[in-house]
Amino acid sequence: MPTLLGIPLDVNSSFLRGPASAPGRIREAWQSDASNKWSELGIDVGAPGVLSDAGDLHLSNSREGIDADFAEIEQAVAELLKKDERPVSLGGDHSVTYPILKAFAQRSADLTLVHFDAHPDLYDEFEGSRVSHACPFARIMEERLAARLVQIGIRTLNRHQREQAEKFAVEIVQMSSLPAYDRLKIHGPVYISFDMDVLDPAFAPGISHHEPGGMTVREAIAHLHSMEGTIVGADIVEYNPARDIGGMTATVAAKILKELLGKMILGGNGRVK
Ligand code: MN
Ligand code: MN
């Protein structure tokens, strides 16, 4: 079953810290009585036995401790996978996807990674770091942790990242070519990495890197709902409470979580698993 896992880490952020406090804030919005837990797909993701929660990791969130923190993330995800759970992690900057995928790669060789983001995060290194939140998908593709990488919502490609995308045969769906539902009809296991900044900052200002011209919440949900394949895990990253306005972005993250969970539970073929 889908299992929540909070990852309070933001030491690999390049511009602003903040996403380390995301897990608690998203959980608060998730648990708020302001809304029910029925996904638009007709699934009650709040029903007993539908979802579990592994709590938050305890991490140093320091430069000196980053190797140990990554090892801790990988191990926690590996343990959930061993129990046939489907990890859905909350929070952290985007660097967390690299250790998460290390654990997935041990279990599945044909994983397709679907990455929602304004940014391709394909830098070979960024400001002297190879584990920056600007680099995880370069590491993932170098180590062949996913068979395919499909990026959607991208709107910040520069020359270096275009070259990187070509080198790793990344399938990029730029924001300007949306909607692109057909590009998400994937066979086999799928992992979804959802960077909150794929959304237009008008809808989700609580992020570190405002990049206007992004998805509406509706566009993001429509693309999530159109996906095929079996979603085996997901992360929601880059929510930065320090930049939020009245918790509105936490509410959006909780809504994305609800629709993602509904889709996971319903299954790619429309069968309840
Ligand atoms: Mn990102
Ligand atoms: Mn981003």
Side-chain angles (χ1 to χ4, degrees):
M1 91 177 56
T3 301
L4 301 182
L5 178 69
I7 306 186
L9 186 100
D10 59 13
V11 69
N12 296 317
S13 297
S14 57
F15 180 57
L16 295 171
R17 302 284 292 261
S21 0
R25 306 298 291 275
I26 297 175
R27 279 177 206 282
E28 257 171 48
W30 171 247
Q31 280 149 8
S32 166
D33 290 333
S35 183
N36 66 42
K37 290 203 172 54
W38 283 80
S39 152
E40 294 177 18
L41 296 169
I43 303 286
D44 181 5
V45 301
V50 162
L51 174 69
S52 57
D53 193 334
D56 292 352
L57 294 179
H58 299 282
L59 302 171
S60 77
N61 196 28
S62 67
R63 287 213 182 269
E64 315 73 58
I66 192 60
D67 289 348
D69 285 353
F70 271 15
E72 176 71 28
I73 294 167
E74 182 182 345
Q75 197 196 332
V77 173
E79 274 168 24
L80 292 175
L81 293 176
K82 215 178 290 169
K83 291 190 276 186
D84 280 327
E85 308 279 12
R86 292 188 282 175
V88 177
S89 65
L90 304 177
D93 64 45
H94 220 153
S95 71
V96 304
T97 306
Y98 171 43
I100 291 171
L101 262 286
K102 277 189 172 179
F104 270 91
Q106 302 292 323
R107 307 273 301 187
S108 124
D110 60 342
L111 194 63
T112 297
L113 180 47
V114 175
H115 167 205
F116 289 75
D117 205 325
H119 315 94
D121 295 348
L122 283 167
Y123 281 94
D124 182 53
E125 60 90 32
F126 196 77
E127 294 174 349
S129 170
R130 288 173 62 79
V131 293
S132 162
H133 71 159
C135 305
F137 296 92
R139 301 291 85 77
I140 286 165
M141 296 311 276
E142 275 166 6
E143 297 183 25
R144 296 187 160 80
L145 304 180
R148 284 176 69 194
L149 170 57
V150 179
Q151 299 187 321
I152 183 161
I154 306 298
R155 52 190 187 277
T156 55
L157 274 171
N158 60 11
R159 186 178 296 120
H160 169 65
Q161 295 204 90
R162 272 182 203 278
E163 288 166 1
Q164 290 283 88
E166 212 163 294
K167 177 176 163 190
F168 298 125
V170 181
E171 300 160 60
I172 296 185
V173 182
Q174 294 215 51
M175 189 62 215
S176 54
S177 54
L178 258 51
Y181 306 120
D182 289 349
R183 302 288 295 277
L184 301 180
K185 306 222 175 299
I186 291 154
H187 300 286
V190 178
Y191 180 92
I192 298 176
S193 185
F194 193 98
D195 182 326
M196 289 294 292
D197 69 31
V198 75
L199 299 166
D200 194 280
F203 298 91
I207 47 152
S208 301
H209 300 264
H210 289 161
E211 189 65 38
M215 289 188 192
T216 62
V217 177
R218 178 51 47 192
E219 282 175 309
I221 292 170
H223 282 87
L224 283 172
H225 283 176
S226 75
M227 295 193 55
E228 291 183 5
T230 304
I231 303 168
V232 293
D235 59 57
I236 297 176
V237 296
E238 293 288 340
Y239 168 51
N240 185 341
R243 300 263 274 181
D244 205 358
I245 299 166
M248 69 187 276
T249 311
T251 304
V252 172
K255 172 72 173 174
I256 295 294
L257 174 64
K258 181 162 67 175
E259 297 308 324
L260 176 63
L261 290 171
K263 186 71 188 174
M264 287 177 83
I265 292 158
L266 189 63
N269 304 316
R271 290 192 308 264
V272 176
K273 295 193 171 155

